[in-house]
Amino acid sequence: MIAKCSSKMFLLLTQNFKYYLSCLYYYIHPAVKWFLRRTTGLCELQRICYGAPEGAPRNFSVERSLLQSRSKEIQAAVAYLNRTSKERQFKGNKLEFALQYIVETVLVVKKINALAHPKFPILLRQSVEVVWGYNQLEQEIVCLAGTHFDSSNKDHEAKLMELWSLLKPDAPLRSRVTKQWQEIGFQGTDPKTDFRGMGVLGLENLLYFASKYNSSAKQVLAHSHHPQFGYAFAIVGINLTSMAYHLMTEKFAKTHMYNVCSKLPSIDSFHLLYCYLFVEFDKFWIQARPKDIMEFSHIRENFETKIRKILSSNQRAAFKVQVSNDLSI
């Protein structure tokens, strides 16, 4: 009982401390910004763009500064960025207009001479493109995950057939509905039922992995057939799509994306993150030496915890697929 009370008291004190700290920051931060502006001759965004390392450290700081701005003009420009990216219109002419809008607004509000600071608009523009490009990419994957696989859709069916051809080029399908699908890790005779959780996003991920890293995908597929450490390749792949999806929507993937993308993040950026997760999970699974597939949930949870910890504790974290030719277990 005493231990429980102490724990609750500690949690309450921690929450109160965070609240008062945030209040203190809210009132003191403007004064600190004013002091630094007077002493350095640079506004906060200039100090960030010139002083913060490129990638996540700079992009996170630019994002925070713009979102916390008390200028009504900057708030209006940020609202336009939010609306444009949410509607997935952050591209083409609208992308160009949005970037020009926020940069020119900052220059006017902060009274920055672009001729005296030619590098600043370029750096600010790059960060804004990546930050709000992430928001747009998040909307795109949410849309794909919500799009059900439709066997009457020729495009969906063509991609499913391509997936089989890439993974099993020497074994043609005998029919559309067949137990052969289990050879690449689907549960039954028709894969469409396995895509329910992540929609066509699961198929798009698997297809990208099988095409972009064909030898690695075949290697992972071979590992999935191991008599002791085997698992259902496609089902695990769709499960990893869910992991990547939640890393994106819960913002953990920002660190990775902010470091690897120098311009507008695309769906390929998400697919590459997925490929990394699949290759690394396969290694993680084998190293865990599971007794059987019943250990999957526990091992997957440990793997996801590891990934989230890396992304939340290291602002320089950036994942890259490590291709290996070693097929041994």
Side-chain angles (χ1 to χ4, degrees):
M1 180 66 73
I2 295 176
K4 283 186 178 181
C5 290
S6 299
S7 179
K8 288 182 179 179
M9 182 63 72
F10 176 76
L11 181 61
L12 182 62
L13 289 172
T14 301
Q15 290 173 339
N16 287 338
F17 176 75
K18 288 181 178 179
Y19 171 75
Y20 289 122
L21 193 63
S22 64
C23 290
L24 187 65
Y25 177 84
Y26 179 82
Y27 289 107
I28 291 181
H29 187 58
V32 173
K33 286 171 63 177
W34 176 86
F35 175 76
L36 291 173
R37 178 70 186 260
R38 293 297 298 268
T39 55
T40 66
L42 302 173
C43 73
E44 182 180 59
L45 283 168
Q46 285 177 294
R47 296 194 300 272
I48 291 169
C49 289
Y50 295 153
E54 64 177 332
R58 182 186 300 163
N59 294 336
F60 273 122
S61 297
V62 166
E63 179 181 20
R64 182 171 59 252
S65 181
L66 288 173
L67 291 176
Q68 292 179 348
S69 176
R70 299 188 184 188
S71 160
K72 291 184 178 179
E73 293 82 2
I74 292 178
Q75 288 175 359
V78 168
Y80 181 80
L81 290 173
N82 290 337
R83 185 167 62 254
T84 305
S85 59
K86 185 176 182 179
E87 295 172 353
R88 297 167 59 195
Q89 296 298 313
F90 202 58
K91 52 190 172 184
N93 292 334
K94 285 197 174 182
L95 168 64
E96 187 61 32
F97 175 80
L99 294 176
Q100 194 68 20
Y101 179 21
I102 187 66
V103 169
E104 289 183 356
T105 300
V106 169
L107 290 175
V108 171
V109 170
K110 301 300 181 181
K111 298 181 175 61
I112 300 170
N113 186 335
L115 294 177
H117 297 277
K119 193 177 178 181
F120 172 69
I122 297 172
L123 296 177
L124 177 61
R125 180 189 175 100
Q126 288 175 343
S127 287
V128 170
E129 183 173 348
V130 173
V131 170
W132 272 269
Y134 181 98
N135 294 343
Q136 175 169 263
L137 177 57
E138 182 184 335
Q139 294 300 315
E140 184 173 358
I141 67 167
V142 168
C143 180
L144 286 171
T147 303
H148 298 298
F149 179 89
D150 183 359
S151 56
S152 65
N153 184 308
K154 292 182 179 180
D155 183 53
H156 293 181
E157 282 291 297
K159 288 178 177 178
L160 182 60
M161 294 301 112
E162 186 181 359
L163 175 64
W164 175 270
S165 297
L166 287 167
L167 294 174
K168 304 284 286 185
D170 301 322
L173 280 172
R174 290 187 289 272
S175 64
R176 169 62 179 80
V177 178
T178 171
K179 286 185 177 181
Q180 281 181 281
W181 290 113
Q182 296 173 15
E183 295 176 22
I184 60 172
F186 288 104
Q187 287 183 318
T189 58
D190 192 345
K192 70 177 183 181
T193 59
D194 294 323
F195 290 120
R196 287 174 183 165
M198 281 288 110
V200 296
L201 183 64
L203 174 58
E204 296 278 3
N205 274 165
L206 285 167
L207 183 58
Y208 189 92
F209 183 37
S211 58
K212 179 75 173 181
Y213 298 102
N214 187 251
S215 60
S216 293
K218 288 178 179 176
Q219 172 180 308
V220 173
L221 178 60
H223 287 172
S224 75
H225 289 155
H226 190 273
Q228 183 179 351
F229 308 125
Y231 54 85
F233 175 89
I235 297 300
V236 168
I238 294 170
N239 198 285
L240 292 173
T241 292
S242 176
M243 183 187 299
Y245 174 92
H246 288 289
L247 288 175
M248 283 290 296
T249 57
E250 294 171 23
K251 318 303 182 186
F252 282 90
K254 275 187 175 184
T255 305
H256 164 77
M257 292 294 182
Y258 284 6
N259 281 323
V260 301
C261 297
S262 58
K263 54 179 63 177
L264 192 70
S266 67
I267 190 63
D268 280 5
S269 306
F270 178 73
H271 287 320
L272 288 170
L273 171 61
Y274 169 82
C275 292
Y276 170 85
L277 293 175
F278 211 149
V279 170
E280 292 304 312
F281 177 78
D282 180 63
K283 296 176 185 175
F284 194 83
W285 173 264
I286 293 168
Q287 290 170 0
R289 289 294 198 260
K291 294 179 181 178
D292 52 47
I293 197 63
M294 297 303 292
E295 292 192 50
F296 175 77
S297 295
H298 174 67
I299 293 174
R300 181 207 181 278
E301 184 179 342
N302 288 344
F303 177 70
E304 184 169 3
T305 299
K306 174 187 173 183
I307 295 297
R308 287 174 179 256
K309 184 176 181 180
I310 291 171
L311 292 171
S312 60
S313 63
N314 180 12
Q315 272 206 339
R316 304 303 292 168
F319 301 137
K320 183 178 180 181
V321 179
Q322 298 296 322
V323 179
S324 172
N325 293 320
D326 181 17
L327 287 171
S328 61
I329 298 182

